[in-house]
């Protein structure tokens, strides 16, 4: 199934920014499908209600407001809370990252869109997810010295063909004029994190995510992610950046997975 609504953001550019990850054949396939979508798609329709989106985005203002926005969350790990502040877990055992910002909960339709991009290769969502992040920025983003991303293992790159967070990070760096450090983290091996418990995620990441060879002394680095689940990946990445001298590490993810008992109000 291919989504037939398309926004004004150039999706082809988003794919090409993946650069070395794409073979010539893959690029031709992507271009073919994007051209086909454009021919069949009425411009300016809202993805959810099919009303006029105003030509500015893939959602109308009403549907944009109805997305599962995070209301209150822990200032450090972004787990949903009923009031502002810092959760007890972060107070007792702080993670390696200093703060995080996740504007949405990982619930429908956000969760479906991310899965469509990552698992179904519906590439138009690369631009749309980037647009959602650009519209919902951390308040202290301008204080950051650079942004980086969680790399993919070679096996995952081979199977999927691209790294979602790398493409989003490259686009955000370009649009917001923030330096990008592409080799601050190295991924050696490890299984997919999805479906693992918090303890299993920590064990899986212990040897698979390694620091790069960057001089980050005194720098404020923001890690771009699509989804923050237990925080294990973010914690391992922040630890690796601080081993290279980073003084402040923040996480900027599109969505945060709420705990099982959480009910959106």
């Amino acid at each position: 199934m291919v989504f037939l609504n398309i926004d004004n953001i150039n999706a082809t550019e988003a794919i090409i920014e993946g650069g070395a990850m794409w073979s010539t054949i893959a690029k031709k396939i992507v271009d073919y499908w994007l051209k086909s979508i454009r021919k069949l798609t009425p411009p300016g329709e809202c993805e959810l209600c099919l009303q006029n989106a105003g030509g500015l985005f893939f959602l109308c203002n009403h549907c944009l407001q109805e997305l599962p926005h995070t209301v209150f969350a822990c200032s450090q790990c972004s787990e949903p809370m009923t009031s502002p502040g810092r959760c007890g877990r972060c107070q007792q055992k702080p993670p390696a990252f200093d703060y995080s910002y996740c504007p949405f909960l990982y619930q429908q339709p956000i969760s479906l869109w991310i899965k469509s991009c990552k698992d179904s290769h519906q590439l138009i969502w690369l631009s749309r997810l980037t647009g959602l992040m650009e519209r919902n920025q951390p308040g202290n983003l301008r204080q950051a010295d650079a942004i980086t991303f969680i790399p993919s293992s070679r096996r995952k790159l081979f199977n999927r063909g691209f790294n979602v967070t790398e493409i989003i990070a490259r686009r955000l760096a370009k649009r917001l004029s923030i330096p990008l450090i592409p080799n601050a983290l190295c991924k050696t091996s490890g299984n997919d994190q999805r479906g693992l418990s918090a303890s299993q995620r920590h064990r899986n990441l212990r040897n698979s995510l390694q620091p790069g060879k960057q001089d980050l002394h005194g720098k404020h680095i923001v890690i771009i992610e699509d989804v923050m689940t237990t925080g294990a990946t973010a914690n391992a990445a922040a630890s690796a950046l601080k081993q290279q001298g980073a003084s402040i590490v923040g996480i900027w993810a599109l969505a945060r997975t709420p705990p099982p008992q959480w009910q959106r109000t």
Side-chain angles (χ1 to χ4, degrees), residues 2-145:
V2 176
F3 283 90
L4 295 181
N5 290 324
I6 189 168
D7 50 273
N8 294 326
I9 302 171
N10 192 323
T12 306
E13 180 187 351
I15 306 304
I16 293 175
E17 284 174 0
M21 293 185 292
W22 289 89
S23 66
T24 302
I25 294 177
K27 288 181 181 178
K28 289 182 178 179
I29 293 174
V30 170
D31 289 341
Y32 170 79
W33 280 109
L34 289 174
K35 289 178 182 178
S36 299
I37 291 171
R38 287 191 175 100
K39 289 179 181 178
L40 296 172
T41 301
E45 275 191 358
C46 174
E47 178 67 34
L48 295 177
C49 70
L50 304 183
Q51 298 301 310
N52 192 312
L56 297 177
F57 204 48
F58 71 99
L59 297 172
C60 66
N61 287 331
H62 173 75
C63 289
L64 192 60
Q65 294 301 317
E66 290 298 310
L67 293 179
H69 292 268
T70 300
V71 180
F72 297 121
C74 172
S75 59
Q76 189 158 17
C77 73
S78 286
E79 183 164 295
M81 296 172 62
T82 56
S83 60
R86 192 159 166 251
C87 71
R89 185 170 56 251
C90 285
Q91 293 182 47
Q92 294 174 10
K93 190 177 180 181
F97 52 90
D98 300 282
Y99 67 91
S100 62
Y101 177 71
C102 307
F104 300 101
L105 297 176
Y106 188 65
Q107 296 176 336
Q108 295 187 19
I110 298 289
S111 56
L112 293 178
W113 295 340
I114 293 175
K115 288 176 181 177
S116 294
C117 180
K118 297 174 75 170
D119 299 336
S120 301
H121 293 77
Q122 293 179 10
L123 305 175
I124 187 63
W125 288 104
L126 283 168
S127 286
R128 293 178 173 183
L129 297 178
T130 303
L132 281 175
M133 291 189 71
E134 188 178 5
R135 283 170 171 255
N136 297 271
Q137 302 175 22
N140 61 347
L141 185 61
R142 290 301 170 184
Q143 299 172 17
D145 295 298

Side-chain angles (χ1 to χ4, degrees), residues 21 151-163 186-190 208:
M21 293 185 292
S152 290
S153 65
R154 290 184 178 181
R155 181 174 64 179
K156 185 175 288 186
L157 274 177
F158 178 80
N159 291 333
R160 181 177 292 154
F162 60 96
N163 180 357
C186 301
K187 192 72 172 289
T188 56
S189 60
S208 65

Side-chain angles (χ1 to χ4, degrees), residues 70 77-78 99-105 114 129 132-133 136-138 165 168 172 222-229 234 250-257:
T70 300
C77 73
S78 286
Y99 67 91
S100 62
Y101 177 71
C102 307
F104 300 101
L105 297 176
I114 293 175
L129 297 178
L132 281 175
M133 291 189 71
N136 297 271
Q137 302 175 22
T165 55
I168 291 176
L172 288 173
V222 175
I223 301 171
I224 303 297
E225 266 279 44
D226 54 350
V227 182
M228 189 172 173
T229 306
I251 310 298
W252 180 15
L254 177 64
R256 178 63 154 93
T257 301

